[in-house]
Amino acid sequence: MVTISREDKIGLYRQLVLNRIFEEKTIELYRLEGIPELPHSNLGEEAIGVGSCYGLNADDYVVPDLRIRPALITKGVPLNEICADMYGRLGGTTNGRATSHHMGYPSLGVVGTSGIIGGHLTISAGFGMASKIRKDKRVTLCFFGDGGSNRGDFHTSINFASLKKLPVLYIISNNQYAEGMPVESHISIKDIADRAAGYSMPGKVIDGNDVLEVYREVQDSVERARNGEGPTLIECKTFRLRPHCEAHPETRSQEELDEAWKHDPVPRMEKHLLHEKILTESEMGDIRKEYTRQVDEAFEFGKSAPYPPVEELYNSVYDGEAEWVRS
Amino acid sequence: MREITIREALNEALQEEMKRDDAVILFGEDIARMQGAFKVTAGLLDMFGEDRVIDTPLAETLVVGGAVGMAMAGLRPVAELMFADFLGIAMDQLCNYAAKMKYNCGVNVPLVVRTACGARGSGMHHSQNTEGWIQNVPGLKIVMPSTAYDAKGLLKSAIRDNNPVVFFEQKTMYGLKGEVPEGGDLVIPLGKADVKRQGGDITIIATGGTVHEALAAAAELEGRGISCEVVDPRTLLPLDHETIIESVKKTHNVVIVHEAPKIGGIGAEIAAVIAEEAIYELESPVRRIGAPFTPVPFSRPLEKAYVPDRERIITTVMELLSPEGV
Ligand SMILES: Cc1ncc(C[n+]2csc(CCOP(=O)(O)OP(=O)(O)O)c2C)c(N)n1
Ligand SMILES: [Mg+2]
């Protein structure tokens, strides 16, 4: 089993805080003044992206879905660029052509995906196959939700990955909802990870709100994948603390939400760090201050960057000159 | 007359057809408890119960495939694909099953697939007009209404049609109000275009959201002494040649407008029909206005440049009719 050093615990905590502050800021700004990109908040689910990506190599692949921004930030995608993409401005990854939701960042192994949920499941198997062919020792982390697991591509992808022993981790954020649908209304089984048995691959159910557990379990499966032993299905139990997106009203009961907030991953980690005497309250306060400033600056950058010129519309449709796309 | 929104008109159509025929059922993601991503199915779960208004898991092959199965088994499902961009997922069920079962084994597939299309700040995967993806699949019908009246009458016809119909709803227009008579049985036959404005100098053939841009352009051009006729095909498959050709013979000039990319869009088909059936009637080249051949961009100024608007229609008409005066 993986042991976690004090430095890594601090590192994991720092990422948690950064992502929490980024989310809080996003929600606040959307409410106060609007943001062109409609936020689909990961508030309360940060531990999954953070714990999964914290120990990865720079060239490992991350294949995100729409609510896993913490994976991207932990992988190192610059906040300024995320913000510029959220506002459709210059200075982001696509100069306003695409949103930040499922952005790619090739130099950090972040694979661009789609707002059309679930297509990336088979794409992930393709990345795994490429690594196997090239023997490059890279692993691929494919992130999706309980809702996404209902697409047939889930079956297709994990069957192939297990068959070929591909270095792919399928990481489910089971946040109990797919838009308005509670998980028991759309999935026939309690633990999605149990489905792994039907594909002769390991499946684990873990506490997605415990960043240390996520880190340990993912690292364990990463090692297995790097050694050529094949894929793992990891179901992270968590809870979507916000409505599906910030434009939707809350439809769940206050009791249900209050109960879920008790398992908030951030205070849980803080309690652990205090108990282990790894950080003091005041050191944690300093970390929060540092990141509040960084996040404020990033949003300021995104908001005040210029809009792209119309020319940008015609860029990057094809590789190479393609004047004819203007017609 | 009473005015209601397109959203309400669609809801009334569903309600009335569900009351008229028990075989009509609704099937899709978040349509029952959540009343649909655009609230078109509001109130229907309470009215008809969960055997007739059915929430599905997130799986578009199921939304369309399941509906095809139910249709082949004798029901009349109306499936909702949350966004037209998701058609790609269910292409096999739609194009190789729904569209071909009559030919394959003589069984009707009385299915409607309703889906929301068009750009409104949501980026490349939730903004497309995808009618071009399916417009050369024999066996399908395609409907694209632009007013509340048409939305209601065409959806009721689509539900009664024994063939698979893909019904595109422009998502920016759900709140658009228009006159719809109260009560009665409003049914508009598929395959009939509608002349939305009479005019003598030029025909603007427009679909979906661009119909309103064409009407706004026509109003503006009237002030400049140009009389525009605006034709809305309403049904893209089958296409009403007669109304289109009649208008061409009257005005002798044509501009075609749609929001999908111009290359390979329905405008190409319409232009070809005009060339085949009335080329000697033309006094100027047929012009098409559509999106450029790029994905739908996210950033506001880029999206604005992408979507065909009244300004582009006005400029194009002026280029054709008074080249000096542009
Ligand atoms: C293929 C597809 N179907 C439907 C949608 C609409 N939609 C967006 S998010 C979502 C729910 C996804 O649930 P889940 O996979 O559990 O992720 P979560 O939103 O809970 O993070 C739905 C239905 C979509 N974007 N893509
Ligand atoms: Mg979910």
Side-chain angles (χ1 to χ4, degrees), chain B residues 149-182:
Chain B
Y149 184 90
D150 290 349
K152 181 169 181 185
L154 289 166
L155 183 54
K156 282 164 68 85
S157 286
I159 293 171
R160 294 183 198 182
D161 201 290
N162 278 339
N163 301 287
V165 180
V166 183
F167 195 95
F168 286 95
E169 301 166 4
Q170 203 86 30
K171 65 177 82 78
T172 49
M173 288 182 4
Y174 279 121
L176 190 72
K177 284 193 161 183
E179 292 188 342
V180 180
E182 192 130 32

PDB file of all heavy atoms in Angstrom, chain B residues 149-182:
ATOM      1  N   TYR B 149     -47.674  28.624 -33.926  1.00  0.00           N
ATOM      2  CA  TYR B 149     -48.760  28.007 -34.701  1.00  0.00           C
ATOM      3  C   TYR B 149     -48.235  26.774 -35.451  1.00  0.00           C
ATOM      4  O   TYR B 149     -48.804  25.686 -35.372  1.00  0.00           O
ATOM      5  CB  TYR B 149     -49.306  29.049 -35.684  1.00  0.00           C
ATOM      6  CG  TYR B 149     -50.490  28.601 -36.493  1.00  0.00           C
ATOM      7  CD1 TYR B 149     -51.783  28.794 -36.024  1.00  0.00           C
ATOM      8  CD2 TYR B 149     -50.318  27.998 -37.749  1.00  0.00           C
ATOM      9  CE1 TYR B 149     -52.887  28.390 -36.775  1.00  0.00           C
ATOM     10  CE2 TYR B 149     -51.416  27.587 -38.498  1.00  0.00           C
ATOM     11  CZ  TYR B 149     -52.691  27.796 -38.008  1.00  0.00           C
ATOM     12  OH  TYR B 149     -53.777  27.386 -38.751  1.00  0.00           O
ATOM     13  N   ASP B 150     -47.130  26.979 -36.164  1.00  0.00           N
ATOM     14  CA  ASP B 150     -46.561  25.862 -36.929  1.00  0.00           C
ATOM     15  C   ASP B 150     -46.061  24.761 -36.003  1.00  0.00           C
ATOM     16  O   ASP B 150     -46.211  23.566 -36.294  1.00  0.00           O
ATOM     17  CB  ASP B 150     -45.392  26.351 -37.789  1.00  0.00           C
ATOM     18  CG  ASP B 150     -45.853  27.240 -38.939  1.00  0.00           C
ATOM     19  OD1 ASP B 150     -47.077  27.312 -39.186  1.00  0.00           O
ATOM     20  OD2 ASP B 150     -44.984  27.861 -39.585  1.00  0.00           O
ATOM     21  N   ALA B 151     -45.453  25.154 -34.895  1.00  0.00           N
ATOM     22  CA  ALA B 151     -44.901  24.156 -33.973  1.00  0.00           C
ATOM     23  C   ALA B 151     -46.006  23.218 -33.507  1.00  0.00           C
ATOM     24  O   ALA B 151     -45.852  21.997 -33.503  1.00  0.00           O
ATOM     25  CB  ALA B 151     -44.243  24.848 -32.777  1.00  0.00           C
ATOM     26  N   LYS B 152     -47.133  23.801 -33.138  1.00  0.00           N
ATOM     27  CA  LYS B 152     -48.220  22.961 -32.636  1.00  0.00           C
ATOM     28  C   LYS B 152     -48.794  22.072 -33.744  1.00  0.00           C
ATOM     29  O   LYS B 152     -48.902  20.858 -33.591  1.00  0.00           O
ATOM     30  CB  LYS B 152     -49.329  23.828 -32.028  1.00  0.00           C
ATOM     31  CG  LYS B 152     -50.468  22.996 -31.479  1.00  0.00           C
ATOM     32  CD  LYS B 152     -51.450  23.776 -30.640  1.00  0.00           C
ATOM     33  CE  LYS B 152     -52.531  22.786 -30.147  1.00  0.00           C
ATOM     34  NZ  LYS B 152     -53.611  23.476 -29.421  1.00  0.00           N
ATOM     35  N   GLY B 153     -49.135  22.697 -34.859  1.00  0.00           N
ATOM     36  CA  GLY B 153     -49.783  21.946 -35.930  1.00  0.00           C
ATOM     37  C   GLY B 153     -48.881  20.889 -36.546  1.00  0.00           C
ATOM     38  O   GLY B 153     -49.333  19.805 -36.918  1.00  0.00           O
ATOM     39  N   LEU B 154     -47.598  21.197 -36.633  1.00  0.00           N
ATOM     40  CA  LEU B 154     -46.666  20.244 -37.243  1.00  0.00           C
ATOM     41  C   LEU B 154     -46.333  19.101 -36.284  1.00  0.00           C
ATOM     42  O   LEU B 154     -46.182  17.952 -36.705  1.00  0.00           O
ATOM     43  CB  LEU B 154     -45.383  20.960 -37.677  1.00  0.00           C
ATOM     44  CG  LEU B 154     -45.540  21.900 -38.882  1.00  0.00           C
ATOM     45  CD1 LEU B 154     -44.316  22.810 -39.014  1.00  0.00           C
ATOM     46  CD2 LEU B 154     -45.753  21.110 -40.178  1.00  0.00           C
ATOM     47  N   LEU B 155     -46.234  19.411 -34.986  1.00  0.00           N
ATOM     48  CA  LEU B 155     -45.931  18.321 -34.048  1.00  0.00           C
ATOM     49  C   LEU B 155     -47.098  17.341 -33.981  1.00  0.00           C
ATOM     50  O   LEU B 155     -46.899  16.117 -33.951  1.00  0.00           O
ATOM     51  CB  LEU B 155     -45.594  18.868 -32.652  1.00  0.00           C
ATOM     52  CG  LEU B 155     -45.201  17.812 -31.611  1.00  0.00           C
ATOM     53  CD1 LEU B 155     -44.049  16.925 -32.108  1.00  0.00           C
ATOM     54  CD2 LEU B 155     -44.804  18.465 -30.281  1.00  0.00           C
ATOM     55  N   LYS B 156     -48.305  17.866 -34.009  1.00  0.00           N
ATOM     56  CA  LYS B 156     -49.466  16.962 -33.998  1.00  0.00           C
ATOM     57  C   LYS B 156     -49.476  16.070 -35.249  1.00  0.00           C
ATOM     58  O   LYS B 156     -49.749  14.871 -35.169  1.00  0.00           O
ATOM     59  CB  LYS B 156     -50.764  17.769 -33.868  1.00  0.00           C
ATOM     60  CG  LYS B 156     -51.012  18.223 -32.416  1.00  0.00           C
ATOM     61  CD  LYS B 156     -52.056  19.323 -32.308  1.00  0.00           C
ATOM     62  CE  LYS B 156     -53.451  18.862 -32.660  1.00  0.00           C
ATOM     63  NZ  LYS B 156     -54.172  18.237 -31.520  1.00  0.00           N
ATOM     64  N   SER B 157     -49.150  16.659 -36.384  1.00  0.00           N
ATOM     65  CA  SER B 157     -49.066  15.842 -37.604  1.00  0.00           C
ATOM     66  C   SER B 157     -47.950  14.820 -37.527  1.00  0.00           C
ATOM     67  O   SER B 157     -48.107  13.680 -37.975  1.00  0.00           O
ATOM     68  CB  SER B 157     -48.783  16.726 -38.818  1.00  0.00           C
ATOM     69  OG  SER B 157     -49.910  17.427 -39.169  1.00  0.00           O
ATOM     70  N   ALA B 158     -46.816  15.255 -36.989  1.00  0.00           N
ATOM     71  CA  ALA B 158     -45.671  14.351 -36.907  1.00  0.00           C
ATOM     72  C   ALA B 158     -46.026  13.135 -36.062  1.00  0.00           C
ATOM     73  O   ALA B 158     -45.666  11.997 -36.389  1.00  0.00           O
ATOM     74  CB  ALA B 158     -44.462  15.083 -36.320  1.00  0.00           C
ATOM     75  N   ILE B 159     -46.758  13.367 -34.970  1.00  0.00           N
ATOM     76  CA  ILE B 159     -47.134  12.253 -34.084  1.00  0.00           C
ATOM     77  C   ILE B 159     -48.094  11.308 -34.811  1.00  0.00           C
ATOM     78  O   ILE B 159     -48.037  10.096 -34.644  1.00  0.00           O
ATOM     79  CB  ILE B 159     -47.751  12.798 -32.774  1.00  0.00           C
ATOM     80  CG1 ILE B 159     -46.671  13.539 -31.961  1.00  0.00           C
ATOM     81  CG2 ILE B 159     -48.367  11.673 -31.944  1.00  0.00           C
ATOM     82  CD1 ILE B 159     -47.192  14.312 -30.755  1.00  0.00           C
ATOM     83  N   ARG B 160     -48.951  11.874 -35.647  1.00  0.00           N
ATOM     84  CA  ARG B 160     -49.922  11.020 -36.357  1.00  0.00           C
ATOM     85  C   ARG B 160     -49.318  10.352 -37.590  1.00  0.00           C
ATOM     86  O   ARG B 160     -49.911   9.431 -38.153  1.00  0.00           O
ATOM     87  CB  ARG B 160     -51.130  11.865 -36.789  1.00  0.00           C
ATOM     88  CG  ARG B 160     -51.898  12.374 -35.588  1.00  0.00           C
ATOM     89  CD  ARG B 160     -53.131  13.134 -36.014  1.00  0.00           C
ATOM     90  NE  ARG B 160     -53.614  13.958 -34.910  1.00  0.00           N
ATOM     91  CZ  ARG B 160     -54.703  14.703 -34.959  1.00  0.00           C
ATOM     92  NH1 ARG B 160     -55.439  14.727 -36.066  1.00  0.00           N
ATOM     93  NH2 ARG B 160     -55.080  15.422 -33.925  1.00  0.00           N
ATOM     94  N   ASP B 161     -48.174  10.824 -38.006  1.00  0.00           N
ATOM     95  CA  ASP B 161     -47.533  10.258 -39.204  1.00  0.00           C
ATOM     96  C   ASP B 161     -47.015   8.851 -38.887  1.00  0.00           C
ATOM     97  O   ASP B 161     -46.504   8.596 -37.803  1.00  0.00           O
ATOM     98  CB  ASP B 161     -46.371  11.156 -39.621  1.00  0.00           C
ATOM     99  CG  ASP B 161     -45.984  10.971 -41.073  1.00  0.00           C
ATOM    100  OD1 ASP B 161     -45.423   9.891 -41.412  1.00  0.00           O
ATOM    101  OD2 ASP B 161     -46.229  11.890 -41.871  1.00  0.00           O
ATOM    102  N   ASN B 162     -47.127   7.958 -39.833  1.00  0.00           N
ATOM    103  CA  ASN B 162     -46.674   6.581 -39.600  1.00  0.00           C
ATOM    104  C   ASN B 162     -45.190   6.382 -39.864  1.00  0.00           C
ATOM    105  O   ASN B 162     -44.683   5.270 -39.800  1.00  0.00           O
ATOM    106  CB  ASN B 162     -47.473   5.613 -40.472  1.00  0.00           C
ATOM    107  CG  ASN B 162     -48.808   5.284 -39.833  1.00  0.00           C
ATOM    108  OD1 ASN B 162     -48.973   5.445 -38.616  1.00  0.00           O
ATOM    109  ND2 ASN B 162     -49.757   4.840 -40.623  1.00  0.00           N
ATOM    110  N   ASN B 163     -44.498   7.472 -40.168  1.00  0.00           N
ATOM    111  CA  ASN B 163     -43.070   7.387 -40.478  1.00  0.00           C
ATOM    112  C   ASN B 163     -42.247   8.080 -39.395  1.00  0.00           C
ATOM    113  O   ASN B 163     -42.760   8.930 -38.672  1.00  0.00           O
ATOM    114  CB  ASN B 163     -42.802   8.066 -41.816  1.00  0.00           C
ATOM    115  CG  ASN B 163     -43.584   7.417 -42.935  1.00  0.00           C
ATOM    116  OD1 ASN B 163     -43.260   6.308 -43.353  1.00  0.00           O
ATOM    117  ND2 ASN B 163     -44.639   8.080 -43.392  1.00  0.00           N
ATOM    118  N   PRO B 164     -40.961   7.733 -39.306  1.00  0.00           N
ATOM    119  CA  PRO B 164     -40.113   8.433 -38.332  1.00  0.00           C
ATOM    120  C   PRO B 164     -39.874   9.882 -38.744  1.00  0.00           C
ATOM    121  O   PRO B 164     -39.499  10.155 -39.882  1.00  0.00           O
ATOM    122  CB  PRO B 164     -38.804   7.634 -38.348  1.00  0.00           C
ATOM    123  CG  PRO B 164     -38.806   6.867 -39.618  1.00  0.00           C
ATOM    124  CD  PRO B 164     -40.226   6.656 -40.023  1.00  0.00           C
ATOM    125  N   VAL B 165     -40.116  10.782 -37.807  1.00  0.00           N
ATOM    126  CA  VAL B 165     -39.975  12.213 -38.069  1.00  0.00           C
ATOM    127  C   VAL B 165     -38.988  12.799 -37.068  1.00  0.00           C
ATOM    128  O   VAL B 165     -39.118  12.572 -35.869  1.00  0.00           O
ATOM    129  CB  VAL B 165     -41.331  12.941 -37.902  1.00  0.00           C
ATOM    130  CG1 VAL B 165     -41.166  14.441 -38.176  1.00  0.00           C
ATOM    131  CG2 VAL B 165     -42.398  12.338 -38.802  1.00  0.00           C
ATOM    132  N   VAL B 166     -38.003  13.528 -37.554  1.00  0.00           N
ATOM    133  CA  VAL B 166     -37.106  14.256 -36.648  1.00  0.00           C
ATOM    134  C   VAL B 166     -37.572  15.702 -36.620  1.00  0.00           C
ATOM    135  O   VAL B 166     -37.709  16.342 -37.665  1.00  0.00           O
ATOM    136  CB  VAL B 166     -35.635  14.146 -37.082  1.00  0.00           C
ATOM    137  CG1 VAL B 166     -34.738  14.849 -36.063  1.00  0.00           C
ATOM    138  CG2 VAL B 166     -35.234  12.678 -37.215  1.00  0.00           C
ATOM    139  N   PHE B 167     -37.821  16.175 -35.418  1.00  0.00           N
ATOM    140  CA  PHE B 167     -38.490  17.461 -35.220  1.00  0.00           C
ATOM    141  C   PHE B 167     -37.516  18.413 -34.528  1.00  0.00           C
ATOM    142  O   PHE B 167     -37.211  18.247 -33.349  1.00  0.00           O
ATOM    143  CB  PHE B 167     -39.727  17.202 -34.357  1.00  0.00           C
ATOM    144  CG  PHE B 167     -40.730  18.316 -34.335  1.00  0.00           C
ATOM    145  CD1 PHE B 167     -41.820  18.317 -35.200  1.00  0.00           C
ATOM    146  CD2 PHE B 167     -40.612  19.357 -33.429  1.00  0.00           C
ATOM    147  CE1 PHE B 167     -42.764  19.334 -35.168  1.00  0.00           C
ATOM    148  CE2 PHE B 167     -41.553  20.381 -33.392  1.00  0.00           C
ATOM    149  CZ  PHE B 167     -42.632  20.364 -34.262  1.00  0.00           C
ATOM    150  N   PHE B 168     -36.988  19.383 -35.277  1.00  0.00           N
ATOM    151  CA  PHE B 168     -35.974  20.294 -34.731  1.00  0.00           C
ATOM    152  C   PHE B 168     -36.620  21.532 -34.119  1.00  0.00           C
ATOM    153  O   PHE B 168     -37.403  22.212 -34.785  1.00  0.00           O
ATOM    154  CB  PHE B 168     -35.003  20.734 -35.831  1.00  0.00           C
ATOM    155  CG  PHE B 168     -34.037  19.663 -36.239  1.00  0.00           C
ATOM    156  CD1 PHE B 168     -34.299  18.848 -37.339  1.00  0.00           C
ATOM    157  CD2 PHE B 168     -32.871  19.451 -35.520  1.00  0.00           C
ATOM    158  CE1 PHE B 168     -33.410  17.856 -37.715  1.00  0.00           C
ATOM    159  CE2 PHE B 168     -31.971  18.463 -35.894  1.00  0.00           C
ATOM    160  CZ  PHE B 168     -32.245  17.662 -36.995  1.00  0.00           C
ATOM    161  N   GLU B 169     -36.248  21.811 -32.867  1.00  0.00           N
ATOM    162  CA  GLU B 169     -36.774  22.988 -32.169  1.00  0.00           C
ATOM    163  C   GLU B 169     -35.613  23.940 -31.894  1.00  0.00           C
ATOM    164  O   GLU B 169     -34.641  23.569 -31.247  1.00  0.00           O
ATOM    165  CB  GLU B 169     -37.426  22.541 -30.850  1.00  0.00           C
ATOM    166  CG  GLU B 169     -38.559  21.536 -31.084  1.00  0.00           C
ATOM    167  CD  GLU B 169     -39.017  20.814 -29.820  1.00  0.00           C
ATOM    168  OE1 GLU B 169     -38.517  21.144 -28.722  1.00  0.00           O
ATOM    169  OE2 GLU B 169     -39.873  19.916 -29.944  1.00  0.00           O
ATOM    170  N   GLN B 170     -35.723  25.158 -32.419  1.00  0.00           N
ATOM    171  CA  GLN B 170     -34.652  26.140 -32.246  1.00  0.00           C
ATOM    172  C   GLN B 170     -34.682  26.615 -30.792  1.00  0.00           C
ATOM    173  O   GLN B 170     -35.677  27.170 -30.342  1.00  0.00           O
ATOM    174  CB  GLN B 170     -34.901  27.312 -33.198  1.00  0.00           C
ATOM    175  CG  GLN B 170     -33.670  28.092 -33.534  1.00  0.00           C
ATOM    176  CD  GLN B 170     -32.912  27.470 -34.700  1.00  0.00           C
ATOM    177  OE1 GLN B 170     -33.515  26.852 -35.560  1.00  0.00           O
ATOM    178  NE2 GLN B 170     -31.605  27.631 -34.717  1.00  0.00           N
ATOM    179  N   LYS B 171     -33.588  26.370 -30.057  1.00  0.00           N
ATOM    180  CA  LYS B 171     -33.700  26.581 -28.613  1.00  0.00           C
ATOM    181  C   LYS B 171     -33.804  28.046 -28.218  1.00  0.00           C
ATOM    182  O   LYS B 171     -34.356  28.363 -27.179  1.00  0.00           O
ATOM    183  CB  LYS B 171     -32.569  25.854 -27.869  1.00  0.00           C
ATOM    184  CG  LYS B 171     -31.184  26.362 -28.139  1.00  0.00           C
ATOM    185  CD  LYS B 171     -30.166  25.614 -27.292  1.00  0.00           C
ATOM    186  CE  LYS B 171     -29.746  24.275 -27.870  1.00  0.00           C
ATOM    187  NZ  LYS B 171     -28.769  24.364 -28.971  1.00  0.00           N
ATOM    188  N   THR B 172     -33.348  28.955 -29.072  1.00  0.00           N
ATOM    189  CA  THR B 172     -33.506  30.375 -28.741  1.00  0.00           C
ATOM    190  C   THR B 172     -34.961  30.822 -28.911  1.00  0.00           C
ATOM    191  O   THR B 172     -35.318  31.916 -28.526  1.00  0.00           O
ATOM    192  CB  THR B 172     -32.653  31.253 -29.684  1.00  0.00           C
ATOM    193  OG1 THR B 172     -32.908  30.833 -31.025  1.00  0.00           O
ATOM    194  CG2 THR B 172     -31.183  31.133 -29.379  1.00  0.00           C
ATOM    195  N   MET B 173     -35.782  29.983 -29.514  1.00  0.00           N
ATOM    196  CA  MET B 173     -37.142  30.424 -29.851  1.00  0.00           C
ATOM    197  C   MET B 173     -38.224  29.852 -28.942  1.00  0.00           C
ATOM    198  O   MET B 173     -39.406  30.148 -29.145  1.00  0.00           O
ATOM    199  CB  MET B 173     -37.463  30.051 -31.306  1.00  0.00           C
ATOM    200  CG  MET B 173     -36.686  30.925 -32.279  1.00  0.00           C
ATOM    201  SD  MET B 173     -36.997  30.646 -34.029  1.00  0.00           S
ATOM    202  CE  MET B 173     -38.266  29.439 -34.119  1.00  0.00           C
ATOM    203  N   TYR B 174     -37.852  29.051 -27.933  1.00  0.00           N
ATOM    204  CA  TYR B 174     -38.893  28.431 -27.099  1.00  0.00           C
ATOM    205  C   TYR B 174     -39.817  29.473 -26.475  1.00  0.00           C
ATOM    206  O   TYR B 174     -40.990  29.235 -26.270  1.00  0.00           O
ATOM    207  CB  TYR B 174     -38.259  27.593 -25.990  1.00  0.00           C
ATOM    208  CG  TYR B 174     -37.826  26.208 -26.442  1.00  0.00           C
ATOM    209  CD1 TYR B 174     -36.501  25.796 -26.336  1.00  0.00           C
ATOM    210  CD2 TYR B 174     -38.760  25.304 -26.960  1.00  0.00           C
ATOM    211  CE1 TYR B 174     -36.111  24.532 -26.731  1.00  0.00           C
ATOM    212  CE2 TYR B 174     -38.377  24.031 -27.363  1.00  0.00           C
ATOM    213  CZ  TYR B 174     -37.048  23.649 -27.241  1.00  0.00           C
ATOM    214  OH  TYR B 174     -36.663  22.394 -27.633  1.00  0.00           O
ATOM    215  N   GLY B 175     -39.265  30.651 -26.168  1.00  0.00           N
ATOM    216  CA  GLY B 175     -40.071  31.672 -25.500  1.00  0.00           C
ATOM    217  C   GLY B 175     -40.795  32.610 -26.462  1.00  0.00           C
ATOM    218  O   GLY B 175     -41.494  33.529 -26.039  1.00  0.00           O
ATOM    219  N   LEU B 176     -40.621  32.370 -27.756  1.00  0.00           N
ATOM    220  CA  LEU B 176     -41.212  33.270 -28.760  1.00  0.00           C
ATOM    221  C   LEU B 176     -42.730  33.073 -28.841  1.00  0.00           C
ATOM    222  O   LEU B 176     -43.216  31.960 -29.001  1.00  0.00           O
ATOM    223  CB  LEU B 176     -40.584  32.970 -30.120  1.00  0.00           C
ATOM    224  CG  LEU B 176     -40.899  33.956 -31.232  1.00  0.00           C
ATOM    225  CD1 LEU B 176     -40.160  35.270 -31.012  1.00  0.00           C
ATOM    226  CD2 LEU B 176     -40.502  33.353 -32.589  1.00  0.00           C
ATOM    227  N   LYS B 177     -43.444  34.187 -28.729  1.00  0.00           N
ATOM    228  CA  LYS B 177     -44.909  34.090 -28.731  1.00  0.00           C
ATOM    229  C   LYS B 177     -45.482  34.238 -30.132  1.00  0.00           C
ATOM    230  O   LYS B 177     -44.908  34.911 -30.984  1.00  0.00           O
ATOM    231  CB  LYS B 177     -45.499  35.184 -27.852  1.00  0.00           C
ATOM    232  CG  LYS B 177     -45.350  34.892 -26.380  1.00  0.00           C
ATOM    233  CD  LYS B 177     -46.212  35.834 -25.559  1.00  0.00           C
ATOM    234  CE  LYS B 177     -46.410  35.227 -24.174  1.00  0.00           C
ATOM    235  NZ  LYS B 177     -47.295  36.039 -23.351  1.00  0.00           N
ATOM    236  N   GLY B 178     -46.617  33.613 -30.330  1.00  0.00           N
ATOM    237  CA  GLY B 178     -47.317  33.754 -31.597  1.00  0.00           C
ATOM    238  C   GLY B 178     -48.767  33.341 -31.433  1.00  0.00           C
ATOM    239  O   GLY B 178     -49.140  32.717 -30.431  1.00  0.00           O
ATOM    240  N   GLU B 179     -49.567  33.702 -32.415  1.00  0.00           N
ATOM    241  CA  GLU B 179     -50.998  33.406 -32.333  1.00  0.00           C
ATOM    242  C   GLU B 179     -51.271  31.929 -32.567  1.00  0.00           C
ATOM    243  O   GLU B 179     -50.795  31.351 -33.543  1.00  0.00           O
ATOM    244  CB  GLU B 179     -51.746  34.231 -33.384  1.00  0.00           C
ATOM    245  CG  GLU B 179     -51.720  35.719 -33.091  1.00  0.00           C
ATOM    246  CD  GLU B 179     -52.631  36.497 -34.021  1.00  0.00           C
ATOM    247  OE1 GLU B 179     -53.017  35.952 -35.085  1.00  0.00           O
ATOM    248  OE2 GLU B 179     -52.962  37.650 -33.684  1.00  0.00           O
ATOM    249  N   VAL B 180     -52.011  31.334 -31.663  1.00  0.00           N
ATOM    250  CA  VAL B 180     -52.463  29.953 -31.812  1.00  0.00           C
ATOM    251  C   VAL B 180     -53.903  29.911 -31.315  1.00  0.00           C
ATOM    252  O   VAL B 180     -54.176  30.307 -30.185  1.00  0.00           O
ATOM    253  CB  VAL B 180     -51.601  28.980 -30.967  1.00  0.00           C
ATOM    254  CG1 VAL B 180     -52.095  27.544 -31.137  1.00  0.00           C
ATOM    255  CG2 VAL B 180     -50.131  29.082 -31.337  1.00  0.00           C
ATOM    256  N   PRO B 181     -54.833  29.449 -32.158  1.00  0.00           N
ATOM    257  CA  PRO B 181     -56.226  29.436 -31.723  1.00  0.00           C
ATOM    258  C   PRO B 181     -56.424  28.513 -30.524  1.00  0.00           C
ATOM    259  O   PRO B 181     -55.744  27.491 -30.396  1.00  0.00           O
ATOM    260  CB  PRO B 181     -56.984  28.915 -32.950  1.00  0.00           C
ATOM    261  CG  PRO B 181     -55.967  28.259 -33.807  1.00  0.00           C
ATOM    262  CD  PRO B 181     -54.658  28.921 -33.512  1.00  0.00           C
ATOM    263  N   GLU B 182     -57.323  28.883 -29.662  1.00  0.00           N
ATOM    264  CA  GLU B 182     -57.655  28.056 -28.506  1.00  0.00           C
ATOM    265  C   GLU B 182     -58.550  26.912 -28.980  1.00  0.00           C
ATOM    266  O   GLU B 182     -59.448  27.112 -29.785  1.00  0.00           O
ATOM    267  CB  GLU B 182     -58.398  28.919 -27.483  1.00  0.00           C
ATOM    268  CG  GLU B 182     -58.533  28.263 -26.142  1.00  0.00           C
ATOM    269  CD  GLU B 182     -58.076  29.204 -25.028  1.00  0.00           C
ATOM    270  OE1 GLU B 182     -58.248  30.424 -25.180  1.00  0.00           O
ATOM    271  OE2 GLU B 182     -57.529  28.690 -24.037  1.00  0.00           O
TER     272      GLU B 182
END
